[in-house]
Amino acid sequence: MQTLDASRAPAALAAVSEGARLQANNLLAADIARYLETVGTPHYRLEVLDGLELRKRAQVFGYLPLERQAELVAIMPVPCLGQLLGAMSADERADLVNHLDALPRGRLLPALARAEREDVLKLCSYDEGTAGALMTSDYSWLPAQLTAAQAIDALRAQAGDAETIYQNYILDENRRLLGTLSLRQLIVAPADQPLAALMVSPVVHAHVDTPAERIARLINDYDLLALPILDAQQRLVGIVTCDDAMDVVVSEATEDFHKGASIAQHIGNLKDATVGLLYRKRVFWLVLLVFGNLFSGAGIAAFEDVIAANIALVFFLPLLVDSGGNAGAQSATLMVRALATGEVVLRDWVRLLGRECLVALALGCTMAVAVSTLGVLRGGWDIALIVASSMLIIVLFGSVIGMSLPFAFNRLRMDPATASGPLITSIADAAGVLVYFGIASAVLNL
Amino acid sequence: MQTLDASRAPAALAAVSEGARLQANNLLAADIARYLETVGTPHYRLEVLDGLELRKRAQVFGYLPLERQAELVAIMPVPCLGQLLGAMSADERADLVNHLDALPRGRLLPALARAEREDVLKLCSYDEGTAGALMTSDYSWLPAQLTAAQAIDALRAQAGDAETIYQNYILDENRRLLGTLSLRQLIVAPADQPLAALMVSPVVHAHVDTPAERIARLINDYDLLALPILDAQQRLVGIVTCDDAMDVVVSEATEDFHKGASIAQHIGNLKDATVGLLYRKRVFWLVLLVFGNLFSGAGIAAFEDVIAANIALVFFLPLLVDSGGNAGAQSATLMVRALATGEVVLRDWVRLLGRECLVALALGCTMAVAVSTLGVLRGGWDIALIVASSMLIIVLFGSVIGMSLPFAFNRLRMDPATASGPLITSIADAAGVLVYFGIASAVLNL
């Protein structure tokens, strides 16, 4: 890999302080940012940034985590801050302002030119997790009456500011979206052809209040470089680019992973998470599940006589209840992920339920055979019959609950990922206790 | 959304059979493919495809799942097949050939022109899950001696075939990578400037054997439109584009979700999965964990006297062992995901272990307090002391195991995601039984 690696970085960047700007300017912005993220003090970071040309400085700054950006805002002289913010991309600038407390924000906003300030405040007004909060206003647009050659000239002028000039939007005089035209289509088109004849429409688009997951899925499904975002009056107000969509895909998957282990949302970068934060994000469900598990305890208490008379039954308890939880966690995970990627939708539930019952029946039978051999060895044929039939019913029950719960949450407009492994384990445990000791007391006539 | 929705699709596409090609040609390829995926017979699909112009036909075909593509290959006349394959992108063509059995492959390969056939066989020779298997050979390249204006003309000629012309690679006479130049940089450059003076280097790149996850992470970290892939002689042999990287991110996350619930890899689209496939992917770990849970059973058997003398202890058993498993699943999930996204690496283990102990201590104390109140109510102060101290130790143990196992698997060059919730539950169960009944027998002097 020709990129900056950690061992070479300090040497390469030491050159900055010595005034050899050129060398750091030749490094990739993402590499400089990764190096600055972990090394030195805010003042050292500021010094390195000052050594870079403005465009590269804005790029590096944009790659830094928001906490690091905020530290630098606090110590940067106001004129430098205004210059830097002016060169940043509109969405990164808005993310920074959103992240800042009232005091540094009050320092930052006056440093911006008026148009930029209005743009920032507009972008900051959208709810987190929507297209509005994700988009940038640095898109490239063209009026329909230009020819292909004129359009390329117009793009040359926009190339400095726009996030991408590869996907261009054709707007009418009210900024309503008429069509789209890629730079590829433009450069192969005859020079005198008007854009109105070249543009492609209808255009895949979304609105400012469309959820971020849906934006990412549209960009992925249609293999787009950018997705245009319209306001309520159908006017173009921004674009979401494919690299931002990829960030959404990664962070949504992380949130779903965490939910699947009953961890509350928004841990951020795990390496930087404090003990207090991790405690708060984890404790709620853990304590809730302690009380949830009282149902299993109550089930056991109800059968204390059966257990006392047949203490050997306890041997199989963890094995049986865990099997129900494991099968349920498998089913739930398959469904949660398929719902998240859009592979299945709510109305598929009935059809999938039928298949799940068949799969669970096959799994249950296999596991019943496995456990019944243990039953014979440990307690004779009675016990074998009890544990085998319990296993079958517990695995069936766990699987059906595991696959149905995500659909139920979806139906209730809750996140299907809330149907986590620990939750299903607790439900399967309680059911498993009742099934197992219920069958045992029936078979053993207690 | 202006895209084709399911209710409107049949009407829009019915027009195809009536010869109104223009209408279907105006629909987006991804929408036509999504409609064809679920509706009608292979012959109907072939008829719709035949109604499309060649470029659109190849795009739609490329969006279809490989099983559907294979069905169409089987019934398509050889000349049509050759024409279609010639118009497909090189990576999609190779994926199809890889998916086909020997018989249809033998039918397909002779339909290709010689250069395309060699290209397909080359791309098919790389191992699945590597950059070689992911890349396309349809990249755009330029010799260093061209001027900016000549380069734009050269790109015009390549625009029909290349996957993207927005990121261009400058090669020497041995096809070694000298630098890169975006179309944006090209069109703002002075027309007579030579590429050698304009190009950017060094270039972020990877090799044909680089794993797919790493490719996706590079594209995401550097916000690239395409990543150049080199062979062992440092010659450019292909590119991976950002849309393919996004597909990798989604499918890697899905695989990790499945592993986290101890489901074997490669389920494919869940909706199309058969009962047999799901059974095979799920049964192995379920049965293995049944035997794993024997350790818990053995632990219980060892303490049968303690249990018989204090049957009330069983009440707290599911609650205690589940809490260890839940805390462990949380820790493991945090680590598995952070290792997958690159937020943490192997050498962070020691530092994170210290933090995890503090978090687990805080969690364990909270849960010990919660469970001790139940203990007092149900069995008096002795029982409260036993369950509280057991809870603390079990949660600590579960958390430390949960966070360490992914690192251990990583160290052993196994996938950290194998440290699944069910596996950790089983380990925490066995440990929990020993801790709980061990403490009980000590406190109660049994």
Side-chain angles (χ1 to χ4, degrees):
Chain A
M1 213 64 46
Q2 278 276 12
T3 62
L4 189 76
D5 76 43
S7 55
R8 289 188 293 122
L13 280 162
V16 177
S17 329
E18 292 155 21
R21 295 176 171 213
L22 197 65
Q23 186 162 357
N25 279 321
N26 270 346
L27 295 172
L28 292 164
D31 285 327
I32 303 178
R34 195 168 319 134
Y35 165 70
L36 289 183
E37 203 180 317
T38 48
V39 177
T41 62
H43 284 95
Y44 173 71
R45 288 188 198 111
L46 191 57
E47 195 185 332
V48 172
L49 282 175
D50 279 341
L52 299 171
E53 59 180 46
L54 181 60
R55 176 174 296 272
K56 183 58 94 39
R57 196 190 315 159
Q59 285 172 353
V60 172
F61 189 78
Y63 272 115
L64 289 174
L66 289 170
E67 302 82 55
R68 295 271 173 276
Q69 291 185 20
E71 286 171 6
L72 289 168
V73 166
I75 58 168
M76 208 178 276
V78 172
C80 296
L81 189 58
Q83 202 189 20
L84 178 74
L85 289 166
M88 280 177 80
S89 71
D91 51 343
E92 289 177 347
R93 193 163 55 200
D95 289 343
L96 170 61
V97 172
N98 252 336
H99 177 80
L100 290 177
D101 297 326
L103 198 71
R105 193 188 287 203
R107 189 163 176 271
L108 181 147
L109 286 176
L112 286 169
R114 190 170 155 212
E116 287 162 358
R117 191 161 59 233
E118 281 169 6
D119 179 65
V120 161
L121 293 175
K122 187 82 192 286
L123 287 178
C124 285
S125 70
Y126 299 106
D127 289 337
E128 212 184 324
T130 64
L134 202 60
M135 71 188 187
T136 179
S137 48
D138 299 328
Y139 52 83
S140 59
W141 69 279
L142 300 163
Q145 58 273 23
L146 295 189
T147 64
Q150 289 169 329
I152 292 175
D153 286 337
L155 288 182
R156 248 181 220 122
Q158 295 187 33
D161 292 321
E163 188 90 9
T164 177
I165 57 163
Y166 299 138
Q167 204 62 50
N168 305 290
Y169 303 98
I170 319 296
L171 305 184
D172 70 10
E173 61 277 15
N174 297 315
R175 305 197 69 79
R176 273 194 294 259
L177 186 60
L178 298 175
T180 178
L181 198 54
S182 70
L183 184 54
R184 184 202 284 243
Q185 289 161 325
L186 259 181
I187 73 162
V188 297
D192 56 355
Q193 190 102 357
L195 301 190
L198 289 168
M199 70 182 188
V200 176
S201 93
V203 185
V204 181
H205 65 262
H207 287 92
V208 284
D209 54 359
T210 307
E213 308 96 279
R214 176 134 182 79
I215 298 295
R217 207 188 295 169
L218 281 171
I219 288 177
N220 194 13
D221 285 352
Y222 292 96
D223 292 335
L224 303 175
L225 290 181
L227 179 72
I229 309 296
L230 310 187
D231 67 8
Q233 287 76 46
Q234 305 296 312
R235 290 174 308 203
L236 182 66
V237 286
I239 57 170
V240 177
T241 51
C242 61
D243 53 320
D244 292 330
M246 185 141 28
D247 292 339
V248 170
V249 168
V250 172
S251 66
E252 289 289 332
T254 299
E255 296 279 315
D256 281 358
F257 268 103
H258 290 176
K259 274 191 208 143
S262 60
I263 301 164
Q265 290 175 61
H266 305 308
I267 296 274
N269 190 316
L270 184 63
K271 226 163 148 180
D272 301 333
T274 62
V275 172
L277 177 77
L278 286 171
Y279 172 80
R280 285 195 305 279
K281 298 290 181 184
R282 291 173 60 177
V283 74
F284 175 75
W285 271 100
L286 285 182
V287 171
L288 199 69
L289 289 169
V290 166
F291 290 99
N293 279 323
L294 286 181
F295 290 102
S296 307
I300 289 175
F303 287 104
E304 262 178 16
D305 300 344
V306 183
I307 299 169
N310 275 278
I311 208 81
L313 287 174
V314 185
F315 177 87
F316 292 97
L317 182 62
L319 189 158
L320 288 170
V321 297
D322 274 7
S323 295
N326 290 345
Q330 286 187 335
S331 312
T333 301
L334 287 172
M335 292 305 146
V336 166
R337 185 61 185 159
L339 283 166
T341 59
E343 272 173 48
V344 305
V345 290
L346 197 52
R347 64 170 176 275
D348 294 325
W349 179 70
V350 176
R351 196 172 69 77
L352 294 178
L353 182 66
R355 189 184 64 183
E356 181 65 27
C357 287
L358 290 178
V359 175
L361 203 64
L363 291 171
C365 288
T366 312
M367 294 162 78
V369 170
V371 82
S372 65
T373 57
L374 300 172
V376 172
L377 291 175
R378 206 159 150 91
W381 289 102
D382 275 2
I383 299 289
L385 176 66
I386 293 167
V387 292
S389 51
S390 301
M391 179 65 99
L392 181 60
I393 295 171
I394 290 170
V395 168
L396 252 175
F397 176 82
S399 299
V400 169
I401 287 291
M403 84 142 283
S404 303
L405 220 49
F407 283 99
F409 284 129
N410 191 318
R411 184 82 180 75
L412 298 171
R413 297 179 174 277
M414 290 164 64
D415 190 332
T418 315
S420 64
L423 178 61
I424 285 163
T425 301
S426 293
I427 297 173
D429 274 11
V433 165
L434 293 180
V435 168
Y436 178 39
F437 292 127
I439 291 178
S441 83
V443 171
L444 302 171
N445 291 318
L446 288 161
Chain B
M1 214 63 46
Q2 279 277 9
T3 62
L4 189 76
D5 74 43
S7 54
R8 288 190 295 124
L13 279 162
V16 177
S17 328
E18 293 155 20
R21 294 174 173 217
L22 198 63
Q23 185 163 358
N25 278 322
N26 271 345
L27 295 173
L28 293 163
D31 285 326
I32 303 177
R34 194 169 320 134
Y35 165 70
L36 288 183
E37 204 180 316
T38 49
V39 176
T41 62
H43 284 95
Y44 172 70
R45 289 186 198 112
L46 191 57
E47 195 184 334
V48 172
L49 284 175
D50 279 341
L52 300 171
E53 60 181 45
L54 180 58
R55 176 175 296 270
K56 182 60 94 34
R57 196 189 314 159
Q59 285 173 353
V60 172
F61 188 78
Y63 272 115
L64 288 173
L66 290 170
E67 302 82 55
R68 295 271 174 275
Q69 291 185 18
E71 285 171 5
L72 289 168
V73 166
I75 58 168
M76 211 180 273
V78 172
C80 297
L81 189 58
Q83 201 189 19
L84 178 73
L85 290 165
M88 279 176 81
S89 71
D91 52 342
E92 290 177 349
R93 194 163 56 198
D95 289 343
L96 171 60
V97 172
N98 252 335
H99 177 80
L100 290 177
D101 296 326
L103 198 71
R105 195 188 286 203
R107 190 163 174 271
L108 181 147
L109 286 176
L112 287 169
R114 195 174 151 207
E116 288 162 358
R117 191 162 58 234
E118 282 169 4
D119 179 65
V120 161
L121 293 175
K122 187 85 189 287
L123 287 178
C124 285
S125 69
Y126 299 106
D127 290 337
E128 211 183 326
T130 64
L134 201 60
M135 71 188 186
T136 179
S137 49
D138 298 328
Y139 53 84
S140 58
W141 68 279
L142 299 164
Q145 59 273 21
L146 294 189
T147 64
Q150 288 169 331
I152 293 176
D153 286 338
L155 288 182
R156 247 180 221 124
Q158 295 186 34
D161 292 321
E163 188 90 8
T164 178
I165 57 164
Y166 299 137
Q167 205 61 48
N168 304 290
Y169 304 98
I170 318 297
L171 305 183
D172 71 9
E173 61 279 12
N174 296 315
R175 305 198 69 79
R176 274 194 292 259
L177 186 60
L178 299 176
T180 178
L181 199 54
S182 69
L183 185 54
R184 185 202 283 242
Q185 289 161 325
L186 259 181
I187 72 162
V188 298
D192 56 354
Q193 189 102 356
L195 300 191
L198 289 167
M199 71 183 187
V200 177
S201 93
V203 185
V204 181
H205 65 261
H207 287 92
V208 284
D209 54 358
T210 306
E213 307 95 279
R214 174 132 184 83
I215 298 294
R217 208 187 294 169
L218 281 172
I219 289 177
N220 195 14
D221 284 352
Y222 293 96
D223 293 336
L224 302 175
L225 290 181
L227 179 72
I229 309 295
L230 309 187
D231 68 8
Q233 286 76 46
Q234 305 296 314
R235 289 174 309 202
L236 182 66
V237 285
I239 57 169
V240 177
T241 51
C242 60
D243 52 319
D244 292 330
M246 181 137 35
D247 292 339
V248 171
V249 168
V250 172
S251 66
E252 289 289 331
T254 299
E255 296 279 317
D256 280 359
F257 268 103
H258 291 175
K259 274 191 209 143
S262 61
I263 301 164
Q265 288 176 61
H266 305 309
I267 295 274
N269 190 315
L270 184 63
K271 225 163 149 179
D272 300 334
T274 62
V275 172
L277 176 78
L278 286 170
Y279 173 78
R280 285 195 306 279
K281 297 291 180 184
R282 292 174 58 179
V283 74
F284 174 75
W285 271 100
L286 285 182
V287 171
L288 200 69
L289 289 168
V290 165
F291 290 99
N293 279 322
L294 285 180
F295 291 102
S296 306
I300 289 175
F303 288 104
E304 262 177 16
D305 300 343
V306 182
I307 298 169
N310 274 278
I311 208 80
L313 288 175
V314 185
F315 177 87
F316 293 98
L317 181 62
L319 189 158
L320 287 170
V321 297
D322 274 8
S323 295
N326 291 344
Q330 287 186 335
S331 312
T333 301
L334 287 172
M335 292 306 146
V336 166
R337 184 62 186 160
L339 284 166
T341 58
E343 273 172 48
V344 305
V345 292
L346 197 52
R347 66 171 174 274
D348 295 325
W349 179 70
V350 176
R351 195 171 69 78
L352 294 179
L353 182 65
R355 188 184 63 183
E356 181 65 26
C357 288
L358 290 178
V359 175
L361 204 64
L363 291 171
C365 288
T366 312
M367 293 162 79
V369 170
V371 82
S372 64
T373 57
L374 299 172
V376 173
L377 291 175
R378 209 167 145 86
W381 289 100
D382 275 2
I383 298 288
L385 176 67
I386 294 168
V387 293
S389 52
S390 301
M391 179 66 98
L392 181 59
I393 295 171
I394 290 171
V395 168
L396 253 176
F397 176 82
S399 298
V400 170
I401 286 291
M403 85 142 285
S404 303
L405 221 48
F407 283 98
F409 284 129
N410 190 321
R411 185 83 181 72
L412 299 170
R413 296 180 175 276
M414 290 164 62
D415 190 328
T418 315
S420 64
L423 179 60
I424 285 163
T425 301
S426 293
I427 298 174
D429 275 10
V433 165
L434 293 180
V435 169
Y436 179 39
F437 292 128
I439 290 178
S441 81
V443 171
L444 302 172
N445 291 319
L446 288 162

